[in-house]
Amino acid sequence: MGKTTFLRLIPLFYGATPSQVLKGSGKASMIRHTLPDPSSAVAYEYERESDAHLRTVVMYAKDGEDIPDFRIVSAGFDETFFYDENNTFVTRTEFAPRLHARNINVSPVLQLNEYRSVILNERMSSKNAKQMALLARDHSLGPRPLRNLNQIAAAMANEKISFRDLQNIVLERVAEDQATESKRQNVRELKQRREDVTTWLDSRTHMADISKRKPDADRMKERIGRIKGVHMELCSLHVAVKAALAQAATDQERLTIDRRAQAEAFEQALGVLNDDIREAGGKKTEAHYEWQRLNAAFQAVISRQNHFDLIDAKTLADNESREAALQQQARDKEKEHQRLAVAGVPDVDGDDAAKLMGHVG
């Protein structure tokens, strides 16, 4: 929001209409451009009888339309009115219930003509005139009607209005107030004494002297306007920076919690990994011992195999088989010899016996 747009919003809080504020600017839309979404709002704090009687006017855009709605809060401005617990802007429908929950009085939604009658203490000729009068008693800018103040505020925001036009509007406002006084009082005021005339002449001379200093006053007024604009911009920047700092603090806290959770998860995973490493180391040692045992057994088998190869184990096995067969054959011959001996067959000679024993050997 720029400085010019921000300054144009101020007359709306004195009951001026957007068309009065935009007169001569060449612009047609104001509210929808300034308050684009349901959470967009502009707050204006004002003082009634004293600084102990503060009020805050909150302006939202009516849903789907280019016209403003107003609510008056019976308290001074507080940024927490517009944020929830998550530092998110509240919408126009959430605003009043949240303040009611905090026991803060909030007016019903007021349309522009209703708000004007309340803030300027003007009478309305409508069915809710009594309700507006009760609200005006609690929230109006003054105890008496402030007619035409909305036009004066709109004129001051108009860049193209002349000082003479603004003077005429103010004079018209004063004339309307004076018209309510009695005729007798007006007559008494026309009967001026000499001292009154002298005072009037002195005042006129003083005013003429002041008029000569009008260029200086205009320059000072221009500087004051620039200072006010810078002040408004700094206020807006302060609110934005404060909100950004609060969001940054929230994000930092969330990231800190996430980092702590990730560190705990890492420590837990590292502990599990160390346990797995120790278990794998134990299994590796057991496997090494088993390998050594199997390797020793394998080497023993290889050694026996080499020994058998050296002694020609196959030939030895064949001889063992032949020896068993010859022993069986010798036993058979022995049995045959005994049978023949019993039958009276002459014994074999020594040579034959020797041959037989040689075969057995």
Side-chain angles (χ1 to χ4, degrees), residues 280-323:
K283 291 181 178 180
K284 176 186 175 184
T285 302
E286 294 176 0
H288 179 70
Y289 291 153
E290 181 65 17
W291 176 82
Q292 286 182 335
R293 186 184 63 80
L294 294 176
N295 186 57
F298 175 75
Q299 293 298 329
V301 171
I302 294 298
S303 178
R304 286 196 299 269
Q305 181 67 37
N306 292 335
H307 175 70
F308 289 148
D309 290 342
L310 290 175
I311 64 175
D312 194 4
K314 184 175 181 182
T315 303
L316 182 60
D318 292 341
N319 291 336
E320 288 180 353
S321 299
R322 289 181 59 194
E323 180 180 3

Side-chain angles (χ1 to χ4, degrees), residues 32 36 61-67 92:
R32 185 178 298 173
K62 184 180 287 294
D63 187 15
E65 301 185 41
D66 192 29
I67 56 178
R92 51 178 170 251

Side-chain angles (χ1 to χ4, degrees), residues 7-217:
L7 293 176
R8 283 175 178 167
L9 291 175
I10 295 178
L12 299 179
F13 292 99
Y14 290 91
T17 64
S19 59
Q20 289 176 324
V21 175
L22 296 176
K23 184 177 180 181
S25 66
K27 299 181 180 295
S29 176
M30 180 179 183
I31 303 301
R32 185 178 298 173
H33 171 72
T34 308
L35 306 171
D37 58 68
S39 63
S40 300
V42 178
Y44 182 76
E45 182 188 77
Y46 65 94
E47 177 184 313
R48 299 192 74 215
E49 292 86 355
S50 66
D51 56 2
H53 296 80
L54 298 178
R55 297 291 186 270
T56 302
V57 183
V58 181
M59 179 175 64
Y60 287 98
K62 184 180 287 294
D63 187 15
E65 301 185 41
D66 192 29
I67 56 178
D69 280 338
F70 298 86
R71 285 186 183 272
I72 303 177
V73 182
S74 299
F77 174 77
D78 190 341
E79 291 184 12
T80 60
F81 292 168
F82 305 94
Y83 295 93
D84 60 14
E85 295 77 8
N86 299 320
N87 285 330
T88 304
F89 287 107
V90 298
T91 62
R92 51 178 170 251
T93 56
E94 299 170 341
F95 177 75
R98 291 180 61 84
L99 265 64
H100 288 154
R102 295 170 58 177
N103 294 324
I104 299 176
N105 185 33
V106 185
S107 73
V109 176
L110 301 174
Q111 299 181 9
L112 181 57
N113 61 327
E114 296 173 334
Y115 170 74
R116 184 188 306 114
S117 70
V118 171
I119 202 69
L120 301 184
N121 201 4
E122 295 180 346
R123 289 184 176 273
M124 288 187 65
S125 55
S126 61
K127 59 181 181 180
N128 58 347
K130 184 176 180 180
Q131 180 186 12
M132 296 300 105
L134 293 175
L135 291 174
R137 185 183 62 186
D138 295 332
H139 303 302
S140 64
L141 291 171
R144 298 173 57 190
L146 301 173
R147 290 182 295 273
N148 297 326
L149 182 59
N150 57 323
Q151 299 180 20
I152 296 174
M156 293 180 66
N158 194 325
E159 300 175 356
K160 297 184 178 180
I161 191 170
S162 65
F163 181 78
R164 176 61 63 185
D165 293 336
L166 183 60
Q167 184 182 38
N168 291 337
I169 295 175
V170 175
L171 290 176
E172 181 183 354
R173 165 75 177 88
V174 175
E176 288 184 359
D177 285 346
Q178 290 180 345
T180 59
E181 299 180 1
S182 63
K183 180 178 180 181
R184 184 177 179 180
Q185 184 178 2
N186 290 335
V187 172
R188 286 200 304 271
E189 289 180 352
L190 294 176
K191 295 179 180 180
Q192 303 291 341
R193 295 174 300 175
R194 180 174 180 177
E195 292 82 359
D196 296 332
V197 174
T198 303
T199 301
W200 180 82
L201 290 174
D202 292 340
S203 299
R204 184 179 181 281
T205 303
H206 179 65
M207 289 298 298
D209 184 47
I210 292 176
S211 297
K212 293 179 182 179
R213 302 180 181 178
K214 184 178 180 300
D216 296 334

